[in-house]
């Protein structure tokens, strides 16, 4: 198999050859066909999240074809088409039992690691390592899909779409007619926007510093756009909402503290802010301690409160019904060897999402 390895932060990934170990009894080997290039991978590549060990094969969004199943695996067969879910779920811990398998206690899968030619094991980002041609994963990481479903779109359902739409529908439970503001129109932010449209929010106000992203935001359902490099987003959001601010705000940038604080400031009394963006470790927030005075609240969001085995099928159903935009999210496709170009396009804000194609 081939994989794209991060050896050093802020250095290009290198494509290398590996050997996969034998498929263990509880493992499934998936031949990857598409992998989404997500900001989370880029965070690791930039050194924002030093808690993830390197060197590592990056990539955590993926879709492909089952190549081999271990002897204890049931219900999944060779040749099945699948989406990978990077968050493991045991089914019996407190969070799983309470309906929040996205917060399951299980750590990332650390078995079936690929080996280099000299026999050393190589890490895989969150146990996935989807910037590769094959990966070994446990059954709880697999959601089977119909064989006519396109791989690139499937890969995006596995993380960016689930996180953005889930933040609105699952985490915040936005009600029809609520006013919503979304900070950041990247892969996740655009999905917050279409989640808000699915929830019949009105208005849906998109904030970004790039006009090309704001144009995309309109395509995904934003009713108003604010370029925060040209005007104060908080004042403008209040103005659009008729004065009091919005019912819900979503921070989907995850780079610096300022937009997180603005996403709290722009809500009305009892307004709810959802932190969707995952900032670099130790990013401080400077805010007035009285900011929540009027019963405002802030909720964290992890993987859009995903119940993957239910929600992926709902998202696929919405796409099939023409209500969820997935084709429009796939801005560009690169071969595995083009991964560094895909990171460049992400850094420059040129794309909604790039996908690596291993077909
Ligand atoms: Zn669990
Ligand atoms: Zn992701």
């Amino acid at each position: 198999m081939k994989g794209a390895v991060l050896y050093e932060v802020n250095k290009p990934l290198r494509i290398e050859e590996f050997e996969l170990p034998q498929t263990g009894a509880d493992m499934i080997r998936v031949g990857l066909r598409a992998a989404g290039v997500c900001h989370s991978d880029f965070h690791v590549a930039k050194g924002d999240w030093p808690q993830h060990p390197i060197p590592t094969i990056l990539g955590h969004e993926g879709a492909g074809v089952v190549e081999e199943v271990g002897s204890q695996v049931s219900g999944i067969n060779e040749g099945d088409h699948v989406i990978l879910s990077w968050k493991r779920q045991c089914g019996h811990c407190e969070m799983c039992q309470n309906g929040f398998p996205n917060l399951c206690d299980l750590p990332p899968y650390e078995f079936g690691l690929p080996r280099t030619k000299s026999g050393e094991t190589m890490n895989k980002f969150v146990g996935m390592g989807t910037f590769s041609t094959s990966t070994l994963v446990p059954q709880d990481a697999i959601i089977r899909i119909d064989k006519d479903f396109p791989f690139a779109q499937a890969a995006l359902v596995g993380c960016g779409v689930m996180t953005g739409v889930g933040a609105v529908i699952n985490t915040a439970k936005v009600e029809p007619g609520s006013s919503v503001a979304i900070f950041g129109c990247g892969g996740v932010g655009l999905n917050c926007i279409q989640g808000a449209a699915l929830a019949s929010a009105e208005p849906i106000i998109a904030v970004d510093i790039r006009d090309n992203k704001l144009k995309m935001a309109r395509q995904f359902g934003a009713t108003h756009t604010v370029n925060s490099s040209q005007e104060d987003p908080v004042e403008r959001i209040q103005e659009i909402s008729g004065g009091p601010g919005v019912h819900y705000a979503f921070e989907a940038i995850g780079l610096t503290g300022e937009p997180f604080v603005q996403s709290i400031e722009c809500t009305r009394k009892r307004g709810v802010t959802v932190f969707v963006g995952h900032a670099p470790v130790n990013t401080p927030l400077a805010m007035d301690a009285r900011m929540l005075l009027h019963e405002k609240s802030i909720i964290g969001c992890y993987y859009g409160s995903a119940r993957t085995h239910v929600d992926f099928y709902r998202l696929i159903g919405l796409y099939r019904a023409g209500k969820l935009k997935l084709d429009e999210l796939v801005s560009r496709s690169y071969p595995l060897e083009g991964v560094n170009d895909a990171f460049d396009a992400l850094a420059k804000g040129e794309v909604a999402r790039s996908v690596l194609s291993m077909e």
Side-chain angles (χ1 to χ4, degrees), residues 171-216:
T171 313
K173 297 189 165 56
V174 167
E175 311 90 354
S178 317
S179 48
V180 169
I182 291 109
F183 287 75
C185 303
V188 171
L190 290 172
N191 281 297
C192 289
I193 291 167
Q194 67 171 337
L198 282 166
S200 301
E202 164 67 34
I204 301 170
I205 307 164
V207 181
D208 203 287
I209 54 168
R210 291 189 172 95
D211 286 330
N212 67 319
K213 287 295 180 73
L214 292 171
K215 206 171 145 200
M216 289 182 208

Side-chain angles (χ1 to χ4, degrees), residues 209-246:
I209 54 168
R210 291 189 172 95
D211 286 330
N212 67 319
K213 287 295 180 73
L214 292 171
K215 206 171 145 200
M216 289 182 208
R218 292 256 181 202
Q219 193 189 1
F220 281 80
T223 59
H224 298 73
T225 56
V226 179
N227 187 322
S228 54
S229 71
Q230 288 162 15
E231 51 189 339
D232 180 337
V234 175
E235 278 175 21
R236 185 73 187 109
I237 289 166
Q238 286 167 339
E239 196 179 292
I240 295 166
S241 75
V246 286

Side-chain angles (χ1 to χ4, degrees), residues 89-93 96 104-106:
Q89 41 192 289
C90 71
H92 49 73
C93 71
C96 280
C104 175
D105 292 339
L106 279 181

Side-chain angles (χ1 to χ4, degrees), residues 23-28 69-76 139:
T23 304
D26 62 343
M27 293 179 192
I28 296 171
V69 294
S71 57
Q72 287 171 14
V73 172
S74 61
I76 296 282
Q139 185 159 4

Side-chain angles (χ1 to χ4, degrees), residues 123-144:
N123 296 303
K124 299 188 294 180
F125 178 42
V126 288
M128 292 283 120
T130 56
F131 293 174
S132 66
T133 53
S134 276
T135 188
L136 282 165
V137 292
Q139 185 159 4
D140 57 78
I142 293 276
I143 287 88
R144 185 171 42 205

Side-chain angles (χ1 to χ4, degrees), residues 66-106:
V66 173
E67 293 177 337
E68 192 179 12
V69 294
S71 57
Q72 287 171 14
V73 172
S74 61
I76 296 282
N77 299 300
E78 201 183 307
D80 283 349
H81 289 200
V82 295
I83 303 181
L84 301 189
S85 159
W86 54 266
K87 181 66 194 87
R88 297 210 62 197
Q89 41 192 289
C90 71
H92 49 73
C93 71
E94 183 185 351
M95 287 297 132
C96 280
Q97 287 286 300
N98 281 345
F100 301 98
N102 62 314
L103 302 173
C104 175
D105 292 339
L106 279 181

Side-chain angles (χ1 to χ4, degrees), residues 38-41 60-61 86 159-160 163 188 353:
C38 180
H39 211 121
S40 299
D41 302 296
H60 60 285
E61 299 181 356
W86 54 266
C159 179
T163 302
V188 171
R353 240 328 182 247

